[in-house]
């Protein structure tokens, strides 16, 4: 009986050790996968950046991407900004009127739009539109051997496909966000003047009164970083996609999700850099 | 059907254009190339036959530099290519032309820009001049100039293959690779493509390496045939000797028999 219990204890012991080892192995494996992915992304980014600054450049490709990212995203980003500005004015009115601070609405709208909502919402909308399109296009090129074909035609895929997208993302997002800032503030103005019966000229002067250049500049710096990240994620996931239609679908999803998460995280970090209270 | 070696053609030179020695490549636990030894003479048309998953495409991609072999040597014009830096590799690519299995045309560009791509991007030729050459090359593969402005997605499979061929020969490469050139085509279109390949390679005086499992295509295109099995070259010989190879693997493959020394892998690896 005693021996039996001992062997049972032994079994328990073995099971526990096994479970612990299994857990450690799984954690280790996940960590290795994470390190591998991080390293691969870092190398991809490094290679892509080095091709951005070394000739030959492909101005046609850069222009095409700039039009795609900048011009064709205008309606989506503009609409997002317009309604965000309008909602912001309404919401802050209903909140601020509780302590008679309605006068601050114009300032709140201007600061929120330029510092946060313009770049972040604009970035997220562009991530959905452009990040997905890039991943799908490059991913399809990968699975149909078009990227291999580029190499056989003495054209470096990083220079021809990836560098133009990164440059266009970096350059166009700040411009888009600048437009979004203006439209967003205009949205707030529309609601403020036509719905909440503010005086137009005092609303405008209130908007300008507390707005500092750094508010706008920080938003534009954020936009440039977001534009780079969106293009990077679209290209990275597309370039490494495999396995036909399903692989391209997964690449598209991953591109949008990872770009969105990176936008949110980097938004916090950049805000910390610009407006640290310490 | 006359084999290519029976036709009136200058006999290929014996100087090796491409030499592979002990080339190995593995993906994870799977060894795809198991020590490939192969020589392709200058001006020769070599066809590599073998079943699916035997390493044909991987071998081709290793020569093209799209994949990096784990070990072994790949020499082109007697110069080692496995340790080239990216710039020299890009230069070497000028010697190569490739017709991909699915044609791999750039769907964002019209047909003529596909054909002229290597000329415009690789050799920085003015667009107007490159377009003229592209239209001439399209003519060489039997396509009319009005096709030039179409998008690749508007073309049939056979036409896409022709455009792919025109693109492969556009900057007059010294070596042309054909990856399953007849797969997915009807027998008549397959024969048309075979004829075009023979003609284009002859006109250019290029060295050609074709991988295929289509025996009709192999007989038509090849000067010499090599058979690949489990990542090794198990037989090489003249195209006309293929029916008397004396090799049971080659016999089974050439005659398309289910019974024989080659066992088909039906389990996923």
């Amino acid at each position: 009986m005693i021996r039996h219990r001992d062997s049972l204890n032994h079994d328990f012991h073995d099971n526990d050790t096994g479970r612990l080892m299994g857990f450690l192995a799984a954690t280790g494996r996940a960590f290795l996968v994470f390190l591998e992915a991080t390293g691969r992304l870092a190398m991809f980014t490094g290679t892509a950046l080095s091709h951005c600054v070394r000739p030959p450049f492909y101005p046609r490709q850069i222009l095409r991407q700039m039009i795609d990212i900048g011009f064709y995203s205008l309606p989506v980003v503009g609409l997002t900004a317009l309604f965000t500005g309008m909602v912001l004015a309404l919401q802050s009115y209903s909140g601020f009127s509780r302590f008679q601070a309605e006068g601050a609405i114009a300032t709140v709208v201007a600061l929120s739009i330029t510092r946060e909502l313009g770049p972040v919402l604009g970035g997220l909308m562009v991530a959905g539109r452009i990040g997905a399109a890039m991943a799908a296009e490059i991913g399809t090129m990968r699975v149909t051997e078009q990227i291999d074909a580029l190499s056989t035609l003495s054209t470096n895929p990083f220079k021809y496909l990836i560098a133009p997208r990164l440059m266009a993302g970096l350059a166009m997002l700040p411009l888009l966000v600048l437009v979004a800032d203006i439209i967003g503030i205009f949205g707030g103005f529309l609601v403020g003047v036509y719905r909440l019966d503010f005086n137009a000229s005092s609303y405008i002067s209130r908007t300008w009164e507390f707005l500092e250049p750094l508010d706008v500049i920080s938003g534009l710096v954020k936009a440039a970083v977001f534009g780079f990240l969106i293009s990077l994620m679209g290209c990275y996931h597309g370039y490494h996609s495999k396995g036909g239609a399903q692989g391209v679908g997964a690449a598209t999803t991953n591109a949008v999700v990872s770009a969105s998460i990176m936008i949110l995280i980097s938004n916090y970090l950049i805000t910390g850099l610009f407006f640290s209270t310490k | 059907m006359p084999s290519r070696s029976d036709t009136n053609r200058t006999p290929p030179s014996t100087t090796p254009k491409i030499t592979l020695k002990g080339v190995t490549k593995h993906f994870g636990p799977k060894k795809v190339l198991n020590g490939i030894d192969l020589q392709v003479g200058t001006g020769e048309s070599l066809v590599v036959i073998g079943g699916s998953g035997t390493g044909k495409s991987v071998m081709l991609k290793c020569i093209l530099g799209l994949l990096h072999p784990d070990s072994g040597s790949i020499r082109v014009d007697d110069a080692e290519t496995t340790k080239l830096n990216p710039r020299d590799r890009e230069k070497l690519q000028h010697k190569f032309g490739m017709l991909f299995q699915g044609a791999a045309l750039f769907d964002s560009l019209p047909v003529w820009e596909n054909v002229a791509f290597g000329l415009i991007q690789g050799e920085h030729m003015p667009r107007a001049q490159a377009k003229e050459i592209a239209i001439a090359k399209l003519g060489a593969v039997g396509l009319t100039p009005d096709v030039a402005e179409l998008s690749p997605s508007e073309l049939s499979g056979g036409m896409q293959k022709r455009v792919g061929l025109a693109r492969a020969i556009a900057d007059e490469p010294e070596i042309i690779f054909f990856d399953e050139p007849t797969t997915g085509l009807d027998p008549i279109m397959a024969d048309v493509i075979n004829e075009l390949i023979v003609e284009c390679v002859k006109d250019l005086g290029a060295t050609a390496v074709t991988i295929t499992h289509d025996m009709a295509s192999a007989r038509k295109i090849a000067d010499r045939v090599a058979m690949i099995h489990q990542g090794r070259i198990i037989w090489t010989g003249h195209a006309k000797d293929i029916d008397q190879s004396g090799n049971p693997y080659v016999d089974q493959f050439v005659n398309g028999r289910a019974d024989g020394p080659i066992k088909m892998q039906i389990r996923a690896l």
Side-chain angles (χ1 to χ4, degrees), chain A residues 54 56 58 60-61 64 137 140-141 144-156 159-160, chain B residues 61 64 66 87 90 93-94 96 98 100-102 104-109 117-118 121-122 127 167 179:
Chain A
R54 278 186 297 157
Y58 292 97
R60 271 170 177 272
Q61 291 302 310
R64 201 192 120 200
E137 188 179 352
T140 308
M141 289 186 77
T144 56
E145 296 187 304
Q146 290 180 49
I147 293 183
D148 288 344
L150 275 178
S151 301
T152 66
L153 293 164
S154 312
T155 306
N156 189 316
K159 276 202 166 61
Y160 185 78
Chain B
K61 287 186 173 170
L64 274 165
L66 299 174
R87 193 164 295 171
E90 239 166 77
Q93 298 292 10
H94 285 287
F96 298 148
M98 165 96 178
F100 285 87
Q101 190 175 345
L105 300 177
F106 306 125
D107 34 30
S108 58
L109 301 174
F117 194 90
Q121 310 297 356
R127 292 171 68 81
R167 184 174 71 180
D179 183 1

Side-chain angles (χ1 to χ4, degrees), chain A residues 77-89 92 105-123 174 176-189 203 207 211-212 214-220 222-223 226 267:
Chain A
V77 172
L79 249 137
T80 310
L82 182 71
F83 282 99
T84 309
M86 288 164 71
V87 162
L88 209 55
S92 33
I105 290 175
T107 313
V108 166
V109 169
L111 289 189
S112 317
I113 290 281
T114 53
R115 284 166 77 150
E116 279 300 321
L117 296 172
V120 173
L121 291 183
L176 264 178
V177 166
L178 192 63
V179 176
D181 286 351
I182 296 165
I183 296 178
I185 290 173
F186 179 67
F189 170 84
Y203 188 98
T207 300
L211 192 66
E212 287 174 21
L214 192 66
D215 297 324
V216 180
I217 291 169
S218 71
L220 299 186
K222 282 179 181 180
F226 299 165
N267 178 45

Side-chain angles (χ1 to χ4, degrees), chain B:
Chain B
M1 189 192 298
S3 84
R4 182 160 179 219
S5 37
D6 296 334
T7 56
N8 284 338
R9 185 171 176 271
T10 20
S13 140
T14 47
T15 333
K17 188 80 177 166
I18 307 171
T19 311
L20 279 78
K21 259 193 200 135
V23 175
T24 63
K25 177 76 190 170
H26 72 276
F27 295 104
K30 185 170 163 48
K31 249 194 160 170
V32 182
L33 299 183
N34 235 332
I36 294 265
D37 296 310
L38 190 66
Q39 239 181 32
V40 191
T42 307
E44 180 182 52
S45 173
L46 175 84
V47 171
V48 181
I49 56 171
S52 308
T54 48
K56 298 189 302 284
S57 289
V58 173
M59 183 188 79
L60 209 61
K61 287 186 173 170
C62 283
I63 304 175
L64 274 165
L66 299 174
L67 289 173
H68 199 79
D70 299 331
S71 64
S73 135
I74 300 173
R75 300 177 80 83
V76 176
D77 284 331
D78 219 23
E80 183 61 47
T81 65
T82 50
K83 294 178 181 72
L84 285 180
N85 62 38
R87 193 164 295 171
D88 290 336
R89 169 55 73 181
E90 239 166 77
K91 265 187 215 154
L92 179 69
Q93 298 292 10
H94 285 287
K95 289 188 179 181
F96 298 148
M98 165 96 178
L99 172 58
F100 285 87
Q101 190 175 345
L105 300 177
F106 306 125
D107 34 30
S108 58
L109 301 174
V111 165
W112 78 264
E113 260 193 271
N114 265 282
V115 178
F117 194 90
L119 301 171
I120 297 172
Q121 310 297 356
E123 295 179 15
H124 309 291
M125 189 183 278
R127 292 171 68 81
Q129 192 188 346
K131 187 170 184 177
E132 268 175 40
I133 295 177
I135 289 174
K137 295 290 174 192
L138 285 171
V141 296
L143 293 173
T144 50
D146 53 308
V147 177
E149 299 297 339
L150 297 178
S151 147
S153 58
E154 293 173 81
L155 306 180
S156 68
M159 282 165 97
Q160 288 189 359
K161 277 272 162 76
R162 286 180 194 229
V163 176
L165 180 59
R167 184 174 71 180
I169 60 169
D171 57 356
E172 308 194 340
E174 295 171 31
I175 305 165
I176 314 179
F177 299 95
F178 299 97
D179 183 1
E180 313 260 4
T182 54
T183 301
L185 300 178
D186 67 74
I188 299 169
M189 184 51 83
D191 199 52
V192 171
I193 295 289
N194 287 335
E195 297 260 3
L196 278 172
I197 289 176
V198 173
E199 216 171 280
C200 292
V201 172
K202 192 168 68 183
D203 286 349
L204 286 177
T207 305
V209 180
T210 309
I211 57 175
T212 186
H213 43 58
D214 172 4
M215 282 315 297
S217 176
R219 285 175 206 274
K220 189 122 193 174
I221 298 172
D223 292 325
R224 217 154 55 85
V225 176
M227 168 124 181
I228 188 170
H229 181 60
Q230 291 183 339
R232 277 178 207 278
I233 300 290
I234 54 163
W235 183 83
T236 55
H238 283 281
K240 60 180 184 297
D241 299 332
I242 193 136
D243 292 310
Q244 296 89 39
S245 65
N247 183 312
Y249 291 87
V250 179
D251 273 349
Q252 186 192 352
F253 191 85
V254 168
N255 296 307
R257 284 193 303 261
D259 297 327
I262 306 173
K263 302 286 177 231
M264 275 290 134
Q265 194 106 34
I266 48 171
R267 243 177 347 106
L269 290 166

Side-chain angles (χ1 to χ4, degrees), chain A:
Chain A
M1 187 65 195
I2 288 167
R3 179 171 291 174
H4 180 64
R5 195 181 290 163
D6 269 0
S7 83
L8 268 180
N9 269 342
H10 193 69
D11 278 356
F12 274 129
H13 216 75
D14 266 5
N15 272 348
D16 280 354
T17 319
R19 227 173 279 154
L20 182 70
M21 288 306 285
F23 173 73
L24 285 177
T27 314
R29 217 174 295 129
F31 187 62
L32 283 179
V33 168
F34 171 74
L35 282 186
E36 192 192 331
T38 313
R40 206 161 59 148
L41 177 61
M43 277 174 65
F44 183 89
T45 312
T47 314
L49 282 175
S50 79
H51 284 290
C52 283
V53 293
R54 278 186 297 157
F57 303 110
Y58 292 97
R60 271 170 177 272
Q61 291 302 310
I62 299 173
L63 192 68
R64 201 192 120 200
Q65 293 305 325
M66 284 176 121
I67 293 170
D68 241 21
I69 298 174
F71 184 70
Y72 289 114
S73 301
L74 263 179
V76 165
V77 172
L79 249 137
T80 310
L82 182 71
F83 282 99
T84 309
M86 288 164 71
V87 162
L88 209 55
L90 271 186
Q91 284 282 18
S92 33
Y93 180 77
S94 76
F96 285 16
S97 59
R98 292 176 198 172
F99 43 93
Q100 286 78 45
E102 296 95 330
I105 290 175
T107 313
V108 166
V109 169
L111 289 189
S112 317
I113 290 281
T114 53
R115 284 166 77 150
E116 279 300 321
L117 296 172
V120 173
L121 291 183
L124 290 175
M125 295 309 282
V126 176
R129 213 188 86 82
I130 295 297
M134 280 184 188
E137 188 179 352
I138 296 179
T140 308
M141 289 186 77
R142 164 62 73 202
V143 300
T144 56
E145 296 187 304
Q146 290 180 49
I147 293 183
D148 288 344
L150 275 178
S151 301
T152 66
L153 293 164
S154 312
T155 306
N156 189 316
F158 271 89
K159 276 202 166 61
Y160 185 78
L161 289 177
I162 291 161
R165 284 167 168 81
L166 289 182
M167 288 194 258
L170 194 70
M172 293 319 281
L173 254 267
L175 290 181
L176 264 178
V177 166
L178 192 63
V179 176
D181 286 351
I182 296 165
I183 296 178
I185 290 173
F186 179 67
F189 170 84
L190 285 183
V191 169
V193 171
Y194 294 103
R195 176 118 189 237
L196 307 173
D197 297 328
F198 279 87
N199 177 283
S201 64
S202 72
Y203 188 98
I204 293 171
S205 65
R206 278 271 179 173
T207 300
W208 285 114
E209 203 177 336
F210 294 105
L211 192 66
E212 287 174 21
L214 192 66
D215 297 324
V216 180
I217 291 169
S218 71
L220 299 186
V221 170
K222 282 179 181 180
V225 174
F226 299 165
F228 178 78
L229 290 174
I230 292 165
S231 295
L232 182 71
M233 288 296 107
C235 293
Y236 173 78
H237 288 287
Y239 195 80
H240 288 109
S241 69
K242 49 186 150 206
Q246 201 183 13
V248 176
T252 311
T253 310
N254 290 338
V256 177
V257 172
S258 57
S260 305
I261 291 171
M262 284 177 125
I263 285 175
L264 297 174
I265 295 173
S266 62
N267 178 45
Y268 177 78
L269 296 177
I270 300 169
T271 309
L273 275 180
F274 271 101
F275 305 108
S276 172
T277 47
K278 270 187 191 171

